[in-house]
Amino acid sequence: MQKITQVFKNLGVKQHCESVCTGLNWIDAVGSEHRKIVSPTDGKKIGEMTFAGITEYEAILKRAESASNFWKQIPAPKRGEIVRQYGNVLRENKEILGTLVSYEMGKSLQEGLGEVQEMIDICDYAVGLSRQLHGLTMHSERPGHRMYEQWHPLGIVGVITSFNFPVAVWAWNAMIAAVCGNVTIWKPSEKTPFSALACMNLMKKVLEANQLPEGVFTLINGDKAIGEMLANDKRIALVSATGSTAMGRSVGKMVAERFGKSILELGGNNAIIVTENASIDMALRAIVFGAVGTAGQRCTTTRRLIIHDSIYDTLLKKIIKIYKQLNIGNPLDANNHVGPLIDEVAVGHFLNAVEQLKKEGGKVLYGGKQLKGEGYESGCYVTPAICEAKNTYKIVQEETFAPILYVMKYKNISEAIAMQNDVKQGLSSAIFSNNIQETEVFLSSQGSDCGIANVNIGTSGAEIGGAFGGEKETGGGRESGSDSWKAYMRRQTNTINYTNNLPLAQGIKFDF
Ligand code: UN1
């Protein structure tokens, strides 16, 4: 516990926050709510956080509006310089920020550090991007005319993030949005407000050193009501929301109603296909990390395993053997592989899913229980489950945010791909095979229908350089790398006439 207290101190995070953070200075909270935040790691109180209401929201919006006018006029490479400095601050504080993430959220320290590394990576990416916000030039059909397109900032971007990646997903959005000339207002999960506060405290160092105005990056700790304010607010040009499909459906509707833009990164129901031509040892590592990493609480978690019937029994035996060796416990202890679920409500969902699976005719092959006793006082620890199931079961069709791996058999590759695609979600997918015909079919237009399709790599742990997101009920948005930045800007087509005539396009005659 001593170590955690020191972490808070070093990050400048007060464990009793009575005002709302705006990146640089604080706004006093008027009549707002205090929330007790508890760590799933040990069940102990982390601290108390003030959650913003409409008064603080309006104050923050005003700051963001005036910062937006300033920030969009700063040249993009200079905006990149601010992001570069933030990346360096993160490098210096990787260990302590990773520790706080691990303690507050419950993911293993390795994964907490990995999450901060993901922030550093996106900073590097955004710095380079700040000199590459390219538009195209086109040939005009009219003589003496030039056509090109340019990309302008949107203004204010709202970022709603989930508890499972309490810091990295904000960075994917905020760093790209920043080099694109936008200011951001971040509403983190109400379950992990302290990690968010720590990110903003680190940002404060950069804002102060560069004498930037209030409001370029802001944080508003609050609950659903604040998310709805962002979604309904015409002043917010883009809302990027990560979370459940139910949340995305509601946010998406509100934003669409006012013709705002949205990026939705929602639920996944990701499968790995293991064919008879797979390297089993490689597949094993990917399956186990994909299914139990972050205690099954990644949107990219491996939830379904589709195994060729000729290797089904052998592979399952090996997976169960590894599950038996997994150490479950305090995520800050480097010996443990699996930490807790975020809270006891999540444990309830886990246990209910296992029960429902049994009712539908499925079989629990391993795990599926809540852990009790010494080290498990928070009530949030479970043994990851391996369950024999059919893809058509109602429970298999749903995303349960917990470590449950549904295993099923297939006979031919087209059947396996059809099973992989036969869910509502479309985020991540993978095939393990050394047979090029199988892997190419999987990647073809007849193959996986997901936003991410991997070969001999698991479903989770995507790198920031690619566009991240998925199809169907995953929401269709793309964040992070590739050309995802385009969603954070508005495109303008410019046609310039450098002659003394005014010819009309499409050859239209209009003489008088
Ligand atoms: C998420 O779970 O919302 O691909 C994001 C991964 C991580 C990001 C997951 N890089 O597993």
Side-chain angles (χ1 to χ4, degrees), residues 118 164-165 169 172 242 265 297-300 460-462 468:
E118 213 166 314
N164 65 332
F165 273 79
V169 174
W172 295 354
T242 304
E265 201 259 279
Q297 300 168 106
R298 289 192 189 209
C299 55
T300 52
S460 67
F468 186 88

Side-chain angles (χ1 to χ4, degrees), residues 478-490:
R478 292 295 185 277
E479 297 169 312
S480 194
S482 184
D483 66 350
S484 309
W485 62 270
K486 289 181 176 168
Y488 300 80
M489 303 198 86
R490 64 184 170 87

